[in-house]
Amino acid sequence: MTNIATIELNEKELKLSIFKTSNGRYSLIEEKTQPFKIGEEIWTDELLRPKTKTDLVDVLKIYRKMIESYKVQKILAYASNILLKARNYHGFIEEVYNHTGISFSIFDTEEIIKNIYTSVINSIDNSKGYIINIGAYSTNLIKYNRRTILGSSTIGFGAVNLSIDENGNMREYNDMLKLAKEQVGGMEVLSTMEDDSLFVGTGNAFLSFGHIAKKIARYPLDIENNYVVSRNIMSQTIDFIKGIDLDRIKKIKGIAESEASSIGGTLALIQAFYEVLKAKEVTISTANIRDGVMHSNISVPAQEKFNDLLANSIESYLEFNRDEYSINKPVYNMAMTLFKQLKVMHKLPRYYVKPLRIAAQLYNSGRVINFNDNSKYGFTTILYSGICGATHRELLLAAFICLCQNLDDFSPAEWMKYKDIVEEEDLDAVRKLGVIVKLAEALNASKKVVITDLICDILGDSIIMKTVVEGDASFEIMEGMKVAIDYKKVFKKSLQII
């Protein structure tokens, strides 16, 4: 296991992130951010001011000490291409290296697009479509299909410089919208757009917009990645923000002051994309350049990354959260076997396979909080685990499946909180699948794969599970029979394991 640090200098901040890595996967363990309005300085003066340079070097010295304390083996330092517009950027890069030993790379537009794309396809399970990346001073539109970037276009307006005219005055919203639509409409990559295209929005602008949209929609989940904003909610959100003053926007939880000050440009660009693209909805992704850099610098084979995003994401989670006695994989395998064998009884469609995959592999994730009530705490752990490759509904169902390993933990009032996300038939499904996961754990009770397969026979009001074993399975059978009471509650049949 090794530690890697990234240092990002963009238009608004200097950010240090430290990750632990293992087997080509990574997990964030430290993050520090210091605001610097270098974009505003360079845009105005085409220079980095002396005080800004001094302050940046001072902070980087502190970051360097933190990096050493974490025994980091590799530093990936990069800067936004707006730095190239500063006439004194060469001297600044040299000064940083001389004082800290940190060597910065400056990403050009092509590298930014590549890293955004790499991050998106590892955060959202959309096989093809368009990525909209709204930055502070530029905006990218990337067309992709599975593992390939098919084309991209960039305009020289972002949330900040769209908000301000050439004289430094704030533009009226309608003027911003008109300018944004003209720029977006002229993007060459749109000339080959297909009618069924999907759209993914990235960048702090979309994240801030998503925070407010969820409040407008009274959305019950505080999950940023994979949140879908419909055209209707987009319109309601814009109307709401336009009707309140800047001070109130700054007080909205989750909105940084730097984002609030340029909210007009954010709204205009987002509305322009919805209207020009005729988008019914946009899926928000937490993808960013940093994660693209990390994905490009660790060694998990690309084939593995792209083939099954959910499987790769779960494995990344387990890489840093399971112990040496883990039986997550055997429990998952047994749960899938039970799902197939009991299909005649549970009568659930394939849609529920993905939630079951998550719940079965993270069945004991709540133990890090409380061992005895792990299914209860597993609900929250799964819901906010950062697992990618599943919709919010699928994550929510997986959390409830984990909870229903103990049917007494299920609360109808808690279920009703999410009535706008879950479907009526989901209630029966999570109870049945919760019992299946509980039974799968029991059939691996000795933490060894003793039961290799099952054959189920239905006889009237009973079901007989015949075990195929390699060794003595008496302990597994004894533990499995403890689930018989819950089994009868949800499946309405008696259980016998032999």
Side-chain angles (χ1 to χ4, degrees):
M1 188 173 290
T2 60
N3 291 347
I4 293 178
T6 65
I7 303 176
E8 178 177 353
L9 177 61
N10 59 38
E11 296 87 348
K12 296 182 177 182
E13 62 190 14
L14 178 65
K15 177 182 285 188
L16 167 68
S17 305
I18 299 177
F19 302 87
K20 58 182 177 181
T21 69
S22 177
N23 294 322
R25 306 179 190 282
Y26 66 91
S27 179
L28 182 66
I29 58 174
E30 182 62 273
E31 183 177 88
K32 295 295 180 185
T33 302
Q34 187 66 25
F36 284 98
K37 296 182 179 181
I38 70 162
E40 186 177 307
E41 284 187 20
I42 295 173
W43 194 261
T44 304
D45 304 332
E46 295 186 354
L47 284 171
L48 275 174
R49 296 167 187 166
K51 185 179 187 308
T52 300
K53 290 197 297 179
T54 300
D55 290 346
L56 281 167
V57 170
D58 287 344
V59 173
L60 285 168
K61 288 178 181 177
I62 296 170
Y63 284 180
R64 182 77 203 205
K65 290 179 180 178
M66 292 183 64
I67 286 169
E68 291 170 357
S69 70
Y70 277 95
K71 296 179 173 59
V72 167
Q73 287 88 354
K74 187 175 184 179
I75 302 173
L76 304 169
Y78 54 93
S80 166
N81 58 358
I82 198 169
L83 197 62
L84 295 172
K85 297 182 184 295
R87 297 193 303 273
N88 58 346
Y89 84 88
H90 278 298
F92 169 68
I93 295 295
E94 290 178 6
E95 186 177 348
V96 167
Y97 182 76
N98 291 335
H99 285 87
T100 67
I102 297 170
S103 179
F104 270 88
S105 298
I106 302 177
F107 283 172
D108 59 22
T109 300
E110 184 178 342
E111 289 172 307
I112 290 171
I113 287 172
K114 182 192 73 173
N115 283 299
I116 289 293
Y117 159 77
T118 300
S119 185
V120 166
I121 60 174
N122 282 283
S123 67
I124 298 285
D125 196 13
N126 282 352
S127 60
K128 65 176 184 177
Y130 285 88
I131 301 165
I132 308 163
N133 176 50
I134 298 177
Y137 291 87
S138 64
T139 297
N140 316 108
L141 184 62
I142 309 163
K143 183 178 183 180
Y144 69 100
N145 188 348
R146 298 188 183 277
R147 303 167 202 167
T148 306
I149 296 176
L150 300 181
S152 64
S153 296
T154 299
I155 59 175
F157 282 104
V160 175
N161 60 339
L162 181 61
S163 302
I164 303 170
D165 65 20
E166 296 80 2
N167 300 315
N169 300 316
M170 293 296 294
R171 286 191 173 101
E172 294 292 328
Y173 183 78
N174 288 338
D175 293 335
M176 285 189 276
L177 180 59
K178 181 182 178 182
L179 183 55
K181 289 174 72 172
E182 289 172 356
Q183 293 287 316
V184 172
M187 286 180 152
E188 186 178 346
V189 75
L190 291 177
S191 61
T192 56
M193 189 175 73
E194 301 169 5
D195 291 338
D196 59 345
S197 295
L198 299 173
F199 306 103
V200 178
T202 69
N204 289 334
F206 267 107
L207 294 179
S208 296
F209 185 79
H211 275 298
I212 302 173
K214 282 184 285 188
K215 293 181 184 298
I216 298 297
R218 299 184 183 277
Y219 195 68
L221 294 177
D222 188 21
I223 303 175
E224 294 179 319
N225 192 55
N226 223 356
Y227 176 59
V228 180
V229 183
S230 68
R231 191 182 183 92
N232 180 48
I233 292 299
M234 180 274 298
S235 297
Q236 290 184 44
T237 303
I238 289 175
D239 289 342
F240 169 77
I241 298 174
K242 285 165 61 178
I244 62 177
D245 58 38
L246 185 60
D247 288 337
R248 287 183 61 193
I249 294 173
K250 290 179 180 178
K251 293 178 181 178
I252 296 175
K253 184 180 178 181
I255 307 298
E257 182 176 346
S258 58
E259 298 301 323
S261 60
S262 58
I263 196 70
T266 294
L267 298 180
L269 281 164
I270 290 175
Q271 184 174 351
F273 275 108
Y274 269 89
E275 294 184 4
V276 172
L277 303 179
K278 296 181 173 59
K280 295 180 181 178
E281 61 186 33
V282 173
T283 301
I284 294 178
S285 167
T286 53
N288 52 48
I289 294 173
R290 181 193 67 182
D291 285 336
V293 168
M294 286 300 298
H295 280 296
S296 299
N297 281 274
I298 57 177
S299 59
V300 170
Q303 188 75 15
E304 181 181 346
K305 287 184 185 179
F306 298 121
N307 278 350
D308 191 334
L309 176 58
L310 178 62
N312 186 59
S313 184
I314 292 174
E315 189 57 39
S316 291
Y317 177 88
L318 292 175
E319 182 70 31
F320 302 101
N321 291 282
R322 62 184 163 201
D323 58 36
E324 59 185 305
Y325 307 108
S326 168
I327 56 169
N328 298 74
K329 193 68 173 180
V331 169
Y332 162 72
N333 290 334
M334 182 59 69
M336 299 310 294
T337 297
L338 287 166
F339 184 83
K340 294 173 184 175
Q341 288 286 332
L342 298 174
K343 186 170 180 61
V344 175
M345 297 189 65
H346 63 64
K347 300 176 183 177
L348 299 174
R350 283 196 58 80
Y351 173 82
Y352 293 102
V353 170
K354 190 178 283 190
L356 178 60
R357 287 173 63 189
I358 300 169
Q361 294 197 69
L362 274 63
Y363 78 97
N364 61 345
S365 56
R367 289 184 183 178
V368 297
I369 301 174
N370 187 295
F371 183 90
N372 293 319
D373 290 328
N374 79 88
S375 60
K376 180 192 298 183
Y377 293 103
F379 175 89
T380 302
T381 306
I382 287 176
L383 203 54
Y384 298 103
S385 60
I387 295 296
C388 300
T391 65
H392 286 191
R393 180 186 169 203
E394 289 166 340
L395 270 177
L396 184 59
L397 294 181
F400 271 112
I401 292 167
C402 183
L403 180 73
C404 286
Q405 290 178 91
N406 184 347
L407 293 175
D408 291 338
D409 287 339
F410 180 83
S411 166
E414 183 71 12
W415 179 264
M416 288 303 295
K417 284 171 55 177
Y418 307 101
K419 59 183 176 61
D420 293 333
I421 300 177
V422 296
E423 305 289 342
E424 185 177 345
E425 61 270 19
D426 292 339
L427 178 57
D428 179 58
V430 297
R431 288 165 56 83
K432 288 177 177 177
L433 295 176
V435 172
I436 283 177
V437 172
K438 185 177 183 178
L439 184 56
E441 181 192 8
L443 295 177
N444 285 279
S446 64
K447 296 187 179 294
K448 297 178 181 179
V449 181
V450 178
I451 300 175
T452 59
D453 203 356
L454 293 168
I455 300 172
C456 298
D457 293 328
I458 302 173
L459 300 175
D461 292 334
S462 300
I463 181 167
I464 298 175
M465 288 187 181
K466 299 176 183 177
T467 58
V468 179
V469 303
E470 291 182 356
D472 182 6
S474 57
F475 184 46
E476 280 75 11
I477 292 172
M478 179 176 66
E479 291 296 299
M481 285 306 299
K482 292 179 181 178
V483 187
I485 295 174
D486 286 345
Y487 189 92
K488 190 164 187 177
K489 284 181 182 177
V490 299
F491 288 100
K492 312 303 180 188
K493 289 185 182 292
S494 299
L495 173 65
Q496 184 64 41
I497 306 173
I498 59 175

